[in-house]
């Protein structure tokens, strides 16, 4: 599938519909099937012990899946997560950003299924894996 928006256009769209996330995430790559999203880890993303919190990793997976869904269908701000399962596999490295690699596995008329692997920047071993399903509103 071909993307209907490039990285700049998608980043502008995200800033428009989710201004509260502006400083949290950086879109690094998108095409019609894959997305790479960086979480710019800051103190507010940490839990006791100095590691990135589970809710922050969930947010990264969810935003990456949203972008993977939007890339081939275009601007559809009302697409929503209908299911998410996330496995936390190891403690993220302290003091580094997280990288999410999302892959659109299936895009139908009503649902999209996305797989996301999250890594500490510079590491080969994933810290989390998520499977998400998005509901796509009917065409207008």
């Amino acid at each position: 599938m071909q993307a209907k928006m490039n990285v700049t256009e998608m980043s502008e769209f995200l800033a428009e519909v989710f201004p509260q996330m502006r400083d949290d995430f950086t879109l690094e790559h998108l095409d019609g099937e894959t997305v790479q999203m960086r979480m710019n880890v800051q103190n507010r993303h940490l839990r006791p012990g100095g590691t990135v919190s589970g809710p922050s990793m969930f947010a990264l997976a969810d935003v990456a899946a949203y972008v993977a869904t939007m890339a081939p269908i275009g601007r559809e701000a009302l697409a929503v997560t209908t299911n998410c399962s996330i496995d936390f596999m190891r403690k993220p490295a302290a003091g580094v950003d997280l990288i999410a690699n999302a892959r659109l596995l299936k895009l139908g008329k009503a649902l999209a299924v996305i797989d996301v692997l999250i890594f500490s920047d510079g590491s080969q071993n994933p810290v989390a894996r998520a499977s998400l399903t998005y509901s796509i509103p009917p065409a207008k």
Side-chain angles (χ1 to χ4, degrees), residues 14-25 44-45:
L14 290 174
E16 176 187 322
V17 296
F18 298 112
Q20 68 275 20
M21 304 180 338
R22 184 180 312 266
D23 298 328
D24 288 347
F25 305 105
R44 69 177 174 270
H45 299 122

Side-chain angles (χ1 to χ4, degrees), residues 41-52:
V41 175
Q42 299 174 39
N43 196 44
R44 69 177 174 270
H45 299 122
L46 304 181
R47 64 176 305 260
T51 188
V52 178

Side-chain angles (χ1 to χ4, degrees), residues 72-90:
I73 66 172
R75 297 173 62 98
E76 184 53 70
L78 299 180
V80 295
T81 310
T82 59
N83 188 58
C84 179
S85 174
I86 188 164
D87 298 307
F88 300 105
M89 298 185 287
R90 56 186 52 84

